[in-house]
Amino acid sequence: MSVLDRIGQKLLFSFDPETAHGLSIAALRCGLPVGATAPRDARLEINLCGLDFPNPLGMAAGYDKNAEVPDALLGLGFGFAEVGTITPLPQPGNPKPRIFRLTADEAVINRLGFNNEGHAAAEKRLAARKGRPGIVGVNIGANKDSADRIGDYERGVARFAAHASYLTVNISSPNTPGLRNMQAREQLGELLSRVMAARAAASAQPPVFLKIAPDLVEAELEDIAAEVAEKKIDGVIVSNTTLARTGLRSSGLANETGGLSGKPLFERSTAVLARMRKLLGPRIAIIGVGGVDSTEAALEKIRAGADLVQLYTGMIYAGPALPGRIVAGMARFVETERVGSIRDLRDSACERWAAKPIS
């Protein structure tokens, strides 16, 4: 980290995590901070699902919940940004405190519960950026008290299809009771059928991705892969936060309820990613998320089977210059190793990662 990054982190860490998050969004709205310039290198470009990504690194959903700063995030060096999770109606989320820094582990536990301003507010912001360059995905979810959660996803598709570079169906947050049950095959089949029908009826047909949890056993992964293939979903995002707490050093906070993200998630999420690649085959897109905090971590996700990677928690601990540093590191890697395209790395370590235990 640079001196400025360290000063910025110390300032933000003097506030509780949720206040610090709000301040970082406000700073980006004002044009600060300025991240390291990410190089443009044709060897880092990825064409996936009809979209041209300038580099394979994206900001994961959960940071810009209300689509306030997607262009500012792109300016930090990300090749794409994903906003949300956005639900049809505004909702406050779970009671505070609900974000906990596990500094010794470079991790975070959150139990936010899809706190967001709802469809209308986000749609207004996304409509206002129409015509601007950059890939911006929209992550959609269901309201906690909805009587028809699948209907909420249909409404999300109808509302954002015209504004999103791609859509992500998020059924893997552990912080909305019962939401992860939608990963079970029968419910998942109905959900994906109705989502794809909603996309077919919309004014635009962006790619659709499904975001899954890392806390799945082999049979559950097989069912998900089968439904994704059958319903012709464009891709899978692996993974959301975990309920596991293995090996944490921050014992005082380790038992807080919620999903764990950051460095401790890397091994588990990458092993699940590799299993999904083997189940889905080479054609269906995969975005790898979980514990990405360096160039090597990002490259290893690609080796395990990811087409693209995303981060969020890593930037909390490494500062806003992290995406630019990672992309610059990727550019140095392809140059030094004489790699024609970063895509050439994909699956080179898939077998090794798929052999790792996930339970």
Side-chain angles (χ1 to χ4, degrees), residues 1-2 4-9 12 24 27-28 32-38 57 59 63 72-78 311-312 314-326:
M1 291 175 68
S2 69
L4 285 176
D5 283 343
R6 291 184 187 281
I7 293 172
Q9 184 195 67
L12 287 176
S24 71
L28 284 170
L32 295 171
V34 178
T37 302
L57 182 68
M59 171 57 98
Y63 177 75
L73 290 170
L74 295 174
L76 294 180
F78 288 109
L311 62 81
Y312 171 9
M315 205 162 77
I316 294 173
Y317 290 100
L322 179 63
R325 289 200 300 268
I326 289 177

Side-chain angles (χ1 to χ4, degrees), residues 65-228:
K65 289 179 175 293
N66 296 303
E68 296 178 84
V69 290
D71 294 292
L73 290 170
L74 295 174
L76 294 180
F78 288 109
F80 62 108
E82 186 172 318
V83 302
T85 298
I86 307 169
T87 58
L89 300 176
Q91 61 181 26
N94 294 320
K96 298 179 182 179
R98 52 194 183 179
I99 308 177
F100 307 90
R101 298 187 194 101
L102 281 65
T103 306
D105 298 290
E106 295 184 39
V108 165
I109 292 173
N110 92 81
R111 52 172 178 261
L112 287 163
F114 285 174
N115 57 310
N116 73 108
E117 296 173 3
H119 280 183
E123 183 187 26
K124 183 177 180 180
R125 295 185 182 111
L126 291 167
R129 73 172 300 275
K130 187 175 178 63
R132 295 181 192 171
I135 295 174
V136 177
V138 177
N139 185 301
I140 56 175
N143 281 113
K144 178 180 179 179
D145 298 328
S146 176
D148 179 9
R149 284 184 171 175
I150 293 180
D152 282 7
Y153 288 97
E154 291 175 307
R155 285 184 278 278
V157 172
R159 195 97 187 220
F160 293 109
H163 307 297
S165 302
Y166 66 88
L167 293 166
T168 297
V169 176
N170 184 3
I171 55 171
S172 52
S173 169
N175 300 317
T176 297
L179 188 75
R180 285 190 170 187
N181 295 340
M182 298 179 79
Q183 295 174 120
R185 187 159 189 177
E186 185 175 349
Q187 288 191 59
L188 181 62
E190 182 184 356
L191 168 69
L192 297 183
S193 291
R194 288 172 60 177
V195 161
M196 295 306 279
R199 185 184 71 166
S203 59
Q205 286 76 44
V208 172
F209 292 81
L210 176 69
K211 188 165 187 175
I212 66 171
D215 307 315
L216 296 164
V217 299
E218 195 73 35
E220 292 170 319
L221 294 174
E222 290 171 359
D223 285 347
I224 289 170
E227 290 297 330
V228 164

